[in-house]
Amino acid sequence: MSAQPGDVAPVIRAMRFNDLDNVLEVEGVAYDFPWSRQVFSDCLMAGYLASVLEYNEQLIGYSILSTAAAEAHILNLCIDPDFRRHGYGAQMLEHLLDYARSLGIERIFLEVRPSNDVAIRLYERAGFKQLGIRKSYYRAPDGREDALVLVLEMRPEQSSEQSSEQSPEI
Ligand SMILES: CC(C)(COP(=O)(O)OP(=O)(O)OC[C@H]1O[C@@H](n2cnc3c(N)ncnc32)[C@H](O)[C@@H]1OP(=O)(O)O)[C@@H](O)C(=O)NCCC(=O)NCCS
């Protein structure tokens, strides 16, 4: 992907039910074991923070964050493979962190496959630290794969750049 004259800056907006065809198209190429339409619908109906990233009116990414009391959980964060390595993943993650900060969320959790080096680097750059391992959490072509559990301890008044220097208090 390269910028063309007339291109507009990517925008993040709330996901709607009528985005799901496009979301599922990206989900299907991004993951070996994609979420179903039902899972995305359930997230929308549950009122989770479900967002899409649009570039020139094309859906190129999305994220889902659940919140409960002082904790949040990143359930999905995905960028269309054709639009990766342009900082959009980091932009979506920053959007989630800003939203969590605005709610006074104290910590954010997520699971990631140990083999997913790009995602792990993205999260570690934002200050996430490894909390533990969930055994056999994911489906894998040859059975099950563990998940790394990452956590970000939020400090509400500080930017994510500063939070990347902190140690988790767990
Ligand atoms: C993980 C994921 C969201 C990252 O999306 P992305 O848009 O490529 O993320 P970014 O561009 O912000 O950063 C990714 C890499 O691109 C690099 N990058 C960012 N802007 C760049 C640019 N302008 N030119 C070159 N590289 C760039 C980053 O430094 C980073 O590289 P590194 O991992 O080698 O350090 C994406 O790979 C994805 O959707 N994967 C499948 C779904 C998934 O696994 N989600 C996470 C589940 S926990």
Side-chain angles (χ1 to χ4, degrees):
M1 186 205 77
S2 60
Q4 302 295 321
D7 282 356
V8 293
V11 291
I12 296 175
R13 63 161 175 80
M15 186 187 291
R16 303 185 283 254
F17 282 97
N18 64 8
D19 289 316
L20 290 188
D21 285 347
N22 294 328
V23 168
L24 287 165
E25 203 171 308
V26 176
E27 177 83 5
V29 292
Y31 291 106
D32 290 339
F33 300 97
W35 281 10
S36 65
R37 181 180 296 270
Q38 187 63 51
V39 173
F40 283 104
S41 295
D42 288 348
C43 290
L44 287 173
M45 284 190 288
Y48 294 164
L49 179 74
S51 311
V52 299
L53 180 68
E54 275 185 334
Y55 181 76
N56 287 345
E57 298 184 356
Q58 180 183 347
L59 189 151
I60 63 162
Y62 49 88
S63 59
I64 310 263
L65 179 84
S66 69
T67 58
E71 295 185 347
H73 205 127
I74 297 176
L75 301 176
N76 203 332
L77 170 60
C78 185
I79 301 295
D80 183 324
D82 290 342
F83 291 85
R84 289 186 190 161
R85 299 191 63 84
H86 292 279
Y88 296 140
Q91 189 180 334
M92 286 300 270
L93 180 58
E94 193 55 38
H95 161 72
L96 299 183
L97 301 190
D98 284 347
Y99 175 77
R101 209 173 277 120
S102 75
L103 293 182
I105 294 290
E106 292 170 8
R107 59 191 65 80
I108 306 184
F109 298 92
L110 61 89
E111 283 83 24
V112 61
R113 289 180 193 261
S115 55
N116 195 346
D117 294 335
V118 176
I120 292 169
R121 270 199 299 276
L122 179 71
Y123 294 127
E124 287 184 342
R125 267 199 299 269
F128 281 83
K129 308 280 184 200
Q130 189 178 327
L131 179 65
I133 292 177
R134 284 195 210 288
K135 285 281 174 202
S136 304
Y137 182 81
Y138 289 114
R139 288 169 64 193
D142 53 355
R144 308 291 299 181
E145 183 179 358
D146 295 345
L148 301 183
V149 182
L150 306 190
V151 64
L152 176 67
E153 297 283 342
M154 304 285 282
R155 291 191 290 181
E157 300 308 320
Q158 298 187 330
S159 72
S160 59
E161 262 175 41
Q162 286 166 305
S163 71
S164 69
E165 292 163 13
Q166 72 185 89
S167 303
E169 294 164 9
I170 47 177

